[in-house]
Every structure is written in C-alpha cells, then in structure tokens.
Amino acid sequence: LDGIKEVFAKKNVITLTASTGAIFMACLLPILACIASPLKSLRHPNMELTMSSEASVACWTDKYGTPHQTMAIISVFLVFVAITMVSTILRLVWKMPTLLAADDGSFLLRYDFLFFRFRLECRWFVAFIILRSILIAFVPVMPQVAVQLAVLVLVLTLSLLVLAWFKPWRLEELNFIDACGHTSVIV
C-alpha cells in the first residue's frame, strides 16, 4: 500500500511540475511585461509623473493614494519569483546531461516542456529564449522611442543570427518559420 501511495505521489509531483513549467514558459513574456510596466512613467507639464500604461496612476507620490507604490512592491516581489524560476530553468539546462544520466526517466517527464522543441545539442536554446524575452519585455521601459526601436531590432537581429547559425528547432520547417517571423518583425 505504501508503494502505491509513493508511485501516485511521485506521478502527481511530476505532472504538477510539468504543468506549472509549461504555463510559465507560455506566459513568460506577458509576466515580464506586467512586472516592467510600473517602471515606465511619463512626465507631465506640471512636473508630476504618471504610469505610461495607466495615466491615472501617479508615480512615486502619495498625494493621490498609493496604487503605484503597491504596484511597485508587487513588481519587486514578482521579479524575485521570476528570477527564481529563470535561475531554476537555467540550472536545469546546464545540468541536463548529468541529471538525465542519473535519472529513471522522470526528469524528461517532469521537464519535457523545456527540451522537447529543440535538438539535443541545442538544449541551451531555451535559456536563450528566456533571456531574449527578458530583454524584449524591458524595451518599453527605455526612455525614447528611437532607443526602444533600436534595442528591439538589435535583440531580434542577434536572435535571428543565432537561429540561422544553430538551427535549434527539432524540425527544419520550424527553423524556417521562426526565421520568417523574426524577419517580419524586424522589417
């Protein structure tokens, strides 16, 4: 009876880890954009600052209440959550060969959401996608539109070069589709 409980408990943990990880990877860019949004503010003629995404929220003042401070505190907390998730993923990518060799197969079941899309020798590409997403999410925080465009084009061009050089996707067609998507956004 204890052996059956142990098998079901292990299966539930594997399923929970895989589900949570897949949701995190799918929602990474929106999560990062929400974290970054309280950091971008606009200066008005009366020299007060408001959030660029929500003009009714005054920044760094308690004259009109404290919604911005609350959002900033929540953003800082979410930054720590995101850093924890990203560092865990980077550690898993780095240690994948060792963990895979020492495991009974549950590693692949648990962390398949990270590796199933890419060729084995390009397992690092998931870390590259995460870092690219972080850079893209913080582009709107930059002060001038010209700088935002330049940084976005630079990030996507470098990403396109890495994609063209390594062709990390498991299917050749996906490499081509991803390259076309990069090119269309750059242009």
Side-chain angles (χ1 to χ4, degrees):
L1 190 61
D2 289 335
I4 293 172
K5 287 181 183 177
E6 184 178 319
V7 167
F8 281 117
K10 186 175 182 179
K11 183 179 178 189
N12 288 340
V13 169
I14 290 171
T15 305
L16 179 65
T17 304
S19 301
T20 305
I23 290 168
F24 177 76
M25 290 300 291
C27 299
L28 179 62
L29 197 54
I31 289 170
L32 292 171
C34 288
I35 290 171
S37 66
L39 303 176
K40 175 71 173 164
S41 57
L42 297 173
R43 185 169 303 280
H44 294 279
N46 64 359
M47 301 314 265
E48 290 189 4
L49 296 171
T50 61
M51 279 181 53
S52 66
S53 60
E54 188 62 45
S56 65
V57 177
C59 296
W60 311 116
T61 181
D62 56 358
K63 240 165 57 171
Y64 309 106
T66 59
H68 184 258
Q69 285 84 349
T70 305
M71 284 188 263
I73 290 168
I74 291 170
S75 287
V76 168
F77 172 74
L78 291 175
V79 163
F80 287 117
V81 171
I83 287 172
T84 302
M85 292 292 284
V86 168
S87 62
T88 300
I89 289 170
L90 294 176
R91 184 184 144 278
L92 289 170
V93 169
W94 180 261
K95 294 195 170 238
M96 180 201 178
T98 307
L99 294 171
L100 195 57
D103 196 41
D104 60 354
S106 64
F107 176 82
L108 276 182
L109 291 174
R110 187 176 292 140
Y111 301 110
D112 189 45
F113 68 93
L114 291 173
F115 305 111
F116 77 97
R117 298 173 285 179
F118 308 111
R119 294 183 296 123
L120 187 58
E121 58 273 11
C122 292
R123 67 182 183 277
W124 54 267
F125 197 71
V126 69
F128 181 80
I129 288 176
I130 290 171
L131 295 175
R132 181 188 68 198
S133 296
I134 291 169
L135 290 173
I136 291 171
F138 283 92
V139 163
V141 175
M142 295 175 186
Q144 298 170 342
V145 175
V147 174
Q148 292 173 359
L149 285 173
V151 170
L152 184 61
V153 168
L154 178 69
V155 168
L156 290 175
T157 302
L158 291 175
S159 179
L160 178 61
L161 291 172
V162 169
L163 176 71
W165 185 264
F166 291 101
K167 296 182 176 131
W169 295 98
R170 202 174 281 272
L171 298 174
E172 189 63 35
E173 295 84 3
L174 293 177
N175 289 309
F176 178 74
I177 291 169
D178 198 6
C180 289
H182 273 75
T183 304
S184 67
V185 173
I186 291 170
V187 171

